[in-house]
Amino acid sequence: MTDGPADEAGPLLRVRGLTKHFPVRGGPVRAVDGLDFEVRAGETLGLVGESGCGKSTTGRLLVRLLEPTGGSIEFAGHDLTHAGRRHLRPLRGQLQIIFQDPYASLNPRHPVGRIIAMPLRVNRIDPPGGTRARVRELMERVGLNPEHHNRYPHEFSGGQRQRVGIARALATEPRLVVADEPVSALDVSIQAQVVNLLRRLHRDLGLALVLISHDLAVVRHLCQRVAVMYLGRIVEIGDRDDIYHRPQHPYTRALLAAVPHVGQFGPAGRLRLTGEAPTPLDPPSGCRFRTRCPRARERCAVEEPALVRRDGGGQATACHFPGPDPLPAEPVRAMA
Amino acid sequence: MSLSPAAGPVPAAIGSGGTAGPPRDRRGAGHSPGRLAWLRLRADRTALASGAALVLFLLVALAAPLIELTYGIGPRDQFQDRLDGFGLPLGRAGGVSGEHFFGLEPRLGRDIFIRLVYGLRTSLFVALAAAVLTSVIGVVLGTLAGYLGGWLDAVVTWITDLTLALPFLVVALVLPPMLTLRFYGQRDTVPAAFGVGVLIVIFAVFGWTGTARLIRGQVIALREREFVAAARASGAGPWHMLFRELLPNLRAPILVSFSLTVPQFVTGEAALSFIGVGLTEETPSFGRMIYQSLEYLQTDPAFVLFPGVVIFALVLAVNLFGDALRDALDPKSAG
Amino acid sequence: MLRFLVKRTLSAVLTLFAVSVLTFLMFFALPRDPVSGMCPRNCNPERLERVRQELGLSDPLVVQYGGYMRGVVAGRELGAAQGGHCDAPCLGWSYVNNEAVTDTLVRVLPVTLSIVVPAAVLWLLLGMGLGLVSALRRGTWVDRVAIGFSLTGASLQLYFVGAVLLLIFVYTLGWLPVPGYTSLLDDPVRWAGGLVLAWLSLALLCSANYARLFRAQLLETLGEDFVRTARAKGLPRSAVYGRHALRAAISPVITVAGLDVGAALGGTVITETTFGIHGLGRTAVDAVRAGDLPTIMATVLAAAVFVVLANMLVDLLYAAVDPRVRLG
């Protein structure tokens, strides 16, 4: 995208009350349970949380691989929430997704050139200079040898395959790319290369990026804003520096503390997450984090905290007792 | 079990010998998975031998009229002068001679060799045609059931269970006479092609469920793969999904099920002819020859041996080649 | 478990119901006149008309089907010439055999069971034995011979094997009598002597599949983690194979065996034809030749019952062994 994104009023992506419940035996799984956030054109938003918190479901909702149970998704002024295939079609090219598993996400029976050209073909887009030239250009852009366009996925390494997946997502010149754990399936040594590639692409192409990851270091490296998810809800959202340096929510603090070199807390202030996250089949009443929260009080079991802005800044926290201070400790078990 | 094509189990493929891994040519550009399988197949001696045998069988079947011309004897020519008073062929081993390679049939005195050549033609034609029809129906319904799910899936699955419960041989026994009665009435002469056609249809009607089940399972597994999601996220329609994304990945299972159905249908055709339904008397067929030979088991044992050995060789070649093919397509399954 | 049992039984009944409807339609709706083929050549029109009346062929199909099924479940009245009342599993009257179809079945079922059940035991033992040996001696000549044998067996035709066996053991060596059926209760030795060739040829053919299947399953389970753990724990080889691997590998064999036994019971036509033994299969063939509708109908149903019962038994066995199935 070469044209400036600033000419449009309002955010590129607006999500309101986004909900996805999966019906299973024993009641619905509340995978995503009321999300509100926005992504401006050219902005990068990180979506972090433990596995099972609903971040991948969110990613699939955003590109409408799944249909939301409730809430709304608005992209570039269009309501996507319940749009059918025909209605979505003109927008598909502007909204793309990169998948986690570079082995499953490429059709093993197609040469990579055809894989990269797939979104063009499906949407009957004929890029200037032709599809072949476009594929070559894309392969070069993501750091692949364009001569290899007729090789098959199994002839590439994991990192190279992920580059193919990225090239495919870029083929239609999207304005927003959702990257669902784009590096977590890769070797650590390869991760940095792919992260840097994404960073460069964002800078060069000015595309907006929703990065879904459990890896706080990756998110910190790539994202301007960060949303922290827990059990299907956003517990804290804000600018990167605020989240990483001034986390207000106990869960954010605990997450950061768990990562060496990222958390700012010494051993004294270190928070530990104990136990496993409760099942989204039957989330705790009130604040969902209370069963693992060192600060939980009675109020937390009764009243669900709203995501509210603090200090008039961009940072919002869903907690009754936010704050950076090390806690006046009360045993976790008390509320469980 | 070999008695019923429909109920035949699909055993896990087994290596035809403890051969080493396939040749891997990492540097050669653009080796598609299909091409790799082909390379593995070409390096497999069993595959080469059985493949050559199959080609030979096919050529003989195709060239049957030519063979008749050079051999100088037709499948319906009778040589009563070479039979003794009991209707048994004169000479050793059922009348084997330079003119009659495999000897003569007792009573009618027809030449066994040329009848086997034409029997091969019948057998392969019925089996291949039925296998193609089976694959088409099975792939279409299996893919749709797996991809769309819902009521179609339920219906296909239910029909599959139902056909498994129907005793194939008995139904196959009953249907041809019923259909003949329906289309030709009581005493009209029925063209041989009708019998062949009915047989093919019966095989297809009973056979498609196995293919459908295999394909359905594959599609359900593929449907969850992310490359399908990627196509959907790009707005691909059902046509692109089915033909561009899924079908190329179904080539291997389709070939596998094809390789399993062909020997089943060769066996099935012979079995039905053996019981005396299926094809009419003048159409040469292995099964019918063996059935007729049972009567002469004591007096002319050579009569049972020739068709028995030929059909065994044919089915063995198909089975061996099918095994090798499965190994080549899925090297992990090799024993 | 009870819920699973009920569910499974219901689905079996449903399948049987569908099979009966299908068979009924196939035979009564398809041909122009089912009776015309039912009577030997020199059959007079009056007799044909009578048969037609007695079969109720002028009634709508639903009524005909209803009558038939009522007969199966509760029995019904047949004409005086057919022995009057026909008791509960009433399958109608065969005008060709001049007896109640139920009686025919009662007569021929023991024959078919006598062929299939011992043969099944034999082929399971042979097949699994071969599979076990070749899995344990994987890659050696023993393995290759076993695989070769199973591939050969899978490519053989029963009637050919049967003919060769007959030729050798009956006609040439004279070790065995000409095959035939004697009741087990009358004379067990003659019973076995008359059927042993049928058992052998069935076993030779069918064991091939089991050898392949069992070998593959064993090799797969032997590679799995829990087996490796068991070995790492220091359990002796025999215990690992016996207690852990064998048990895991046996369940797919059960499935196939269930299907096969069911199919074999419904499909002994070829065995019976080869050895000239008159069981369910021959009865079916003869009925088809004679156009004997009630008998055809009954043999198809009987065969379907075998298949469905065998499937159900397999599922129940599974559920008893593996609790996860019950939840599914």
Side-chain angles (χ1 to χ4, degrees):
Chain A
M1 297 298 294
T2 42
D3 53 329
D7 54 352
E8 258 181 62
L12 181 62
L13 179 75
R14 189 203 302 264
V15 172
R16 287 285 170 263
L18 186 64
T19 307
K20 180 69 188 176
H21 293 176
F22 292 105
V24 293
R25 216 182 291 178
V29 170
R30 300 153 179 273
V32 174
D33 213 9
L35 300 188
D36 297 290
F37 62 88
E38 289 165 359
V39 180
R40 288 186 297 273
E43 183 186 51
T44 50
L45 171 74
L47 218 51
V48 299
E50 289 167 291
S51 57
C53 71
K55 42 188 204 307
S56 278
T57 305
T58 307
R60 283 170 184 251
L61 285 167
L62 294 183
V63 296
R64 276 302 315 280
L65 280 171
L66 295 170
E67 186 168 355
T69 314
S72 70
I73 303 168
E74 208 177 282
F75 175 75
H78 299 269
D79 184 10
L80 303 187
T81 319
H82 300 291
R85 198 172 73 83
R86 212 168 292 269
H87 199 87
L88 282 169
R89 199 158 191 157
L91 296 168
R92 287 288 192 194
Q94 301 184 39
L95 184 61
Q96 282 286 325
I97 181 165
I98 299 168
F99 291 96
Q100 171 176 7
D101 182 354
Y103 292 87
S105 65
L106 307 182
N107 193 331
R109 298 276 161 172
H110 290 171
V112 296
R114 197 189 302 169
I115 293 175
I116 294 171
M118 181 273 289
L120 298 172
R121 185 181 199 164
V122 161
N123 290 300
R124 297 199 188 84
I125 296 172
D126 197 14
T131 307
R132 285 183 77 99
R134 177 81 182 129
V135 168
R136 291 183 73 88
E137 180 204 323
L138 283 164
M139 289 184 76
E140 256 165 44
R141 190 176 273 290
V142 298
L144 290 169
N145 184 348
E147 301 304 318
H148 293 170
H149 68 92
N150 55 7
R151 288 197 179 184
Y152 287 82
H154 67 91
E155 297 173 283
F156 292 86
S157 68
Q160 288 173 317
R161 283 160 171 249
Q162 198 57 303
R163 288 171 195 265
V164 173
I166 293 169
R168 172 176 61 193
L170 297 178
T172 50
E173 304 190 316
R175 300 172 70 185
L176 176 75
V177 170
V178 176
D180 182 5
E181 301 270 13
V183 298
S184 60
L186 304 177
D187 289 347
V188 179
S189 54
I190 311 292
Q191 285 189 356
Q193 297 174 14
V194 174
V195 167
N196 285 332
L197 170 67
L198 285 172
R199 192 181 160 95
R200 202 168 60 237
L201 291 171
H202 165 244
R203 199 184 56 215
D204 295 353
L205 303 174
L207 46 83
L209 185 69
V210 173
L211 179 74
I212 294 163
S213 180
H214 67 275
D215 188 334
L216 290 154
V218 169
V219 170
R220 187 185 198 198
H221 194 66
L222 272 172
C223 299
Q224 296 154 337
R225 289 204 310 137
V226 178
V228 181
M229 280 186 75
Y230 185 79
L231 270 188
R233 306 204 59 139
I234 291 177
V235 293
E236 186 158 29
I237 185 167
D239 290 345
R240 174 184 55 194
D241 290 344
D242 286 335
I243 295 289
Y244 280 80
H245 295 296
R246 290 172 288 281
Q248 300 293 319
H249 198 285
Y251 180 62
T252 313
R253 292 166 53 82
L255 276 185
L256 288 168
V259 185
H261 315 305
V262 174
Q264 302 293 309
F265 308 98
R270 191 151 189 164
L271 292 168
R272 273 220 184 77
L273 278 179
T274 49
E276 301 230 335
T279 160
L281 250 172
D282 183 22
S285 65
C287 173
R288 295 182 179 204
F289 185 55
R290 71 179 164 84
T291 52
R292 298 165 83 194
C293 180
R295 298 185 168 201
R297 300 285 187 273
E298 256 168 59
R299 185 183 167 197
C300 302
V302 184
E303 192 184 331
E304 186 161 11
L307 193 62
V308 286
R309 285 192 183 188
R310 308 180 51 73
D311 320 328
Q315 189 173 5
T317 310
C319 183
H320 294 306
F321 307 102
D325 325 308
L327 29 128
E330 191 185 63
V332 180
R333 303 253 169 272
M335 297 311 301
Chain B
M1 137 141 231
S2 55
L3 291 179
S4 157
V10 183
I14 293 190
S16 39
T19 43
R24 267 184 206 287
D25 184 7
R26 271 218 143 269
R27 269 171 303 168
H31 274 350
S32 72
R35 175 139 184 85
L36 286 178
W38 171 243
L39 289 177
R40 280 193 290 267
L41 194 66
R42 251 189 9 195
D44 183 345
R45 267 180 301 156
T46 320
L48 284 182
S50 56
L54 274 185
V55 169
L56 184 72
F57 278 124
L58 272 173
L59 281 180
V60 168
L62 280 174
L66 266 177
I67 293 172
E68 179 184 344
L69 218 62
T70 25
Y71 190 56
I73 297 169
R76 287 187 255 296
D77 299 346
Q78 299 189 0
F79 297 87
Q80 295 286 352
D81 54 321
R82 298 191 179 240
L83 304 179
D84 64 14
F86 302 102
L88 297 173
L90 297 164
R92 279 180 304 118
V96 172
S97 67
E99 287 143 73
H100 305 289
F101 296 168
F102 290 173
L104 296 170
E105 289 180 356
R107 196 168 62 84
L108 287 177
R110 293 181 297 199
D111 184 87
I112 292 178
F113 171 75
I114 198 69
R115 282 192 74 74
L116 280 179
V117 168
Y118 274 95
L120 192 66
R121 198 174 157 91
T122 315
S123 172
L124 279 177
F125 176 72
V126 170
L128 288 176
V132 168
L133 205 58
T134 298
S135 296
V136 171
I137 302 175
V139 168
V140 169
L141 287 178
T143 310
L144 289 178
Y147 183 66
L148 298 176
W151 63 267
L152 185 73
D153 190 20
V155 169
V156 168
T157 311
W158 190 70
I159 295 179
T160 307
D161 291 348
L162 192 66
T163 30
L164 281 181
L166 278 174
F168 167 75
L169 274 181
V170 181
V171 176
L173 208 63
V174 177
L175 272 185
M178 292 283 175
L179 288 172
T180 313
L181 203 65
R182 178 89 180 153
F183 287 103
Y184 290 96
Q186 274 282 279
R187 279 180 189 80
D188 303 349
T189 44
V190 181
F194 180 76
V196 173
V198 167
L199 213 54
I200 291 171
V201 168
I202 289 178
F203 283 143
V205 164
F206 271 85
W208 68 268
T209 52
T211 307
R213 195 152 54 155
L214 186 73
I215 297 297
R216 173 181 171 272
Q218 293 284 325
V219 169
I220 286 176
L222 284 173
R223 203 178 53 182
E224 303 304 320
R225 299 272 291 273
E226 282 175 342
F227 69 82
V228 174
R232 205 142 41 90
S234 292
W239 197 86
H240 177 95
M241 284 299 195
L242 292 175
F243 288 91
R244 303 268 167 202
E245 301 291 340
L246 292 179
L247 207 58
N249 285 286
L250 294 174
R251 269 179 225 153
I254 290 171
L255 270 177
V256 167
S257 76
F258 190 82
S259 77
L260 286 169
T261 46
V262 170
Q264 279 174 9
F265 291 154
V266 170
T267 308
E269 185 270 316
L272 284 180
S273 314
F274 176 75
I275 314 171
V277 283
L279 302 174
T280 44
E281 157 63 22
E282 68 261 33
T283 317
S285 154
F286 297 137
R288 185 169 288 264
M289 284 177 87
I290 294 178
Y291 176 68
Q292 287 163 347
S293 74
L294 285 185
E295 209 181 311
Y296 301 96
L297 207 50
Q298 286 167 278
T299 46
D300 183 11
F303 187 23
V304 72
L305 285 180
F306 286 116
V309 168
V310 171
I311 188 173
F312 167 67
L314 175 62
V315 176
L316 185 65
V318 180
N319 276 338
L320 283 177
F321 190 74
D323 252 23
L325 187 70
R326 266 163 267 154
D327 286 350
L329 289 169
D330 181 12
K332 269 170 293 177
S333 75
Chain C
M1 186 68 196
L2 190 72
R3 231 188 81 187
F4 179 78
L5 193 84
V6 171
K7 238 171 84 179
R8 196 60 193 73
T9 313
L10 273 180
S11 101
V13 169
L14 194 74
T15 309
L16 280 180
F17 171 73
V19 169
S20 73
V21 171
L22 223 78
T23 329
F24 199 85
L25 281 179
M26 204 147 51
F27 301 143
F28 285 83
L30 211 57
R32 282 192 209 136
D33 182 359
V35 182
S36 59
M38 185 178 289
C39 199
R41 281 150 217 89
N42 45 7
C43 204
N44 53 8
E46 294 88 68
R47 197 180 128 88
L48 273 184
E49 194 46 48
R50 213 189 69 223
V51 172
R52 227 171 258 141
Q53 287 287 313
E54 282 167 1
L55 280 173
L57 288 177
S58 47
D59 296 338
L61 271 176
V62 187
V63 177
Q64 288 183 44
Y65 178 77
Y68 186 85
M69 286 318 277
R70 200 168 338 105
V72 174
V73 177
R76 62 171 164 168
E77 293 303 321
L78 296 173
Q82 289 87 46
H85 185 73
C86 172
D87 281 333
C90 177
L91 297 163
W93 179 266
S94 162
Y95 292 90
V96 177
N97 301 338
N98 261 319
E99 73 174 334
V101 177
T102 313
D103 294 343
T104 315
L105 282 194
V106 167
R107 193 154 37 76
V108 299
L109 271 182
V111 181
T112 297
L113 285 173
S114 297
I115 294 175
V116 172
V117 173
V121 173
L122 207 60
W123 87 51
L124 270 173
L125 286 179
L126 191 64
M128 287 171 58
L130 267 178
L132 184 66
V133 166
S134 60
L136 291 181
R137 298 267 174 277
R138 183 184 183 189
T140 64
W141 65 270
V142 182
D143 186 20
R144 274 191 284 274
V145 168
I147 290 177
F149 170 81
S150 71
L151 269 171
T152 314
S155 308
L156 281 169
Q157 307 298 313
L158 193 130
Y159 37 85
F160 180 57
V161 175
V164 172
L165 287 180
L166 272 175
L167 194 59
I168 297 173
F169 290 106
V170 179
Y171 298 132
T172 309
L173 298 174
W175 290 357
L176 290 168
V178 175
Y181 177 74
T182 321
S183 170
L184 174 63
L185 302 173
D186 292 350
D187 186 347
V189 177
R190 278 188 62 192
W191 172 77
L195 296 173
V196 68
L197 283 184
W199 300 340
L200 269 181
S201 31
L202 268 174
L204 207 62
L205 261 73
C206 297
S207 61
N209 261 332
Y210 292 87
R212 285 148 63 97
L213 182 69
F214 198 51
R215 176 180 180 275
Q217 286 297 331
L218 270 175
L219 287 179
E220 199 171 295
T221 38
L222 285 178
E224 269 177 33
D225 288 343
F226 72 94
V227 174
R228 250 184 264 142
T229 311
R231 295 238 32 195
K233 272 196 316 195
L235 284 176
R237 210 172 126 101
S238 59
V240 173
Y241 289 153
R243 206 168 312 147
H244 296 268
L246 269 182
R247 197 186 292 176
I250 219 158
S251 40
V253 175
I254 296 179
T255 315
V256 180
L259 280 173
D260 269 6
V261 173
L265 282 168
T268 45
V269 192
I270 294 182
T271 322
E272 292 173 14
T273 310
T274 308
F275 295 103
I277 302 167
H278 207 101
L280 188 65
R282 273 322 289 180
T283 307
V285 177
D286 292 346
V288 170
R289 289 249 172 81
D292 183 359
L293 275 178
T295 308
I296 298 174
M297 188 71 198
T299 46
V300 174
L301 276 183
V305 167
F306 281 132
V307 176
V308 171
L309 271 185
N311 277 338
M312 199 170 121
L313 216 68
V314 166
D315 281 4
L316 292 182
L317 260 174
Y318 253 28
V321 175
D322 187 349
R324 276 172 306 175
V325 179
R326 272 172 260 161
L327 300 171

